[in-house]
Amino acid sequence: MPAVSVAGAAINLSVDAVQYESQITTGTITTTPTIVRTKTLDSVAFDQTDLNSTMSVDFLYDENAGLYDALQTAIAGASTVAVIVASATGTWTGSTMSIDGLDLNYDATGIVTASLSLTSDVTFA
């Protein structure tokens, strides 16, 4: 099967069923299994006991009218968010993502961005 490449511009982010387009600049989804190593009589057994997922998303700051405000509201309410990252070839879904951090970044060029960190179970379909 030939490889399929997906341009970053094809990525859409939905938070609690509201879709945010054209403001995501970069993102990372990481899935890390927890592996327990057990010494047996004739070898070593490796068992996966957990699966940890994190998402990080950098996006253009939109003040109190969009994604940044929705995330601040979720943080203030200590609530989780449902996140869907969709591309042309697959979808990553986190139905109850906990917000680990929301940073505001600004520099001398005048472009303000924000960075979001999330953790929970993420599935790919």
Side-chain angles (χ1 to χ4, degrees):
M1 179 179 217
V4 176
S5 64
V6 177
I11 302 293
N12 294 321
L13 176 70
S14 295
V15 176
D16 289 340
V18 177
Q19 190 172 38
Y20 299 94
E21 298 179 21
S22 302
Q23 74 186 94
I24 308 303
T25 56
T26 61
T28 302
I29 299 171
T30 304
T31 303
T32 308
T34 301
I35 305 295
V36 174
R37 181 181 186 269
T38 307
K39 181 74 171 151
T40 65
L41 292 175
D42 59 60
S43 67
V44 177
F46 296 91
D47 296 307
Q48 179 177 319
T49 60
D50 198 5
L51 197 58
N52 304 302
S53 301
T54 59
M55 283 188 192
S56 62
V57 178
D58 297 328
F59 60 95
L60 299 174
Y61 174 64
D62 55 2
E63 295 183 320
N64 61 353
L67 179 57
Y68 186 82
D69 184 57
L71 295 168
Q72 283 290 6
T73 300
I75 290 170
S79 58
T80 60
V81 294
V83 178
I84 298 172
V85 178
S87 75
T89 60
T91 302
W92 295 265
T93 303
S95 58
T96 53
M97 301 292 293
S98 296
I99 300 172
D100 285 335
L102 180 60
D103 302 322
L104 195 61
N105 310 299
Y106 44 91
D107 61 24
T109 64
I111 302 298
V112 181
T113 59
S115 298
L116 169 67
S117 299
L118 302 154
T119 187
S120 186
D121 293 329
V122 177
T123 57
F124 179 73

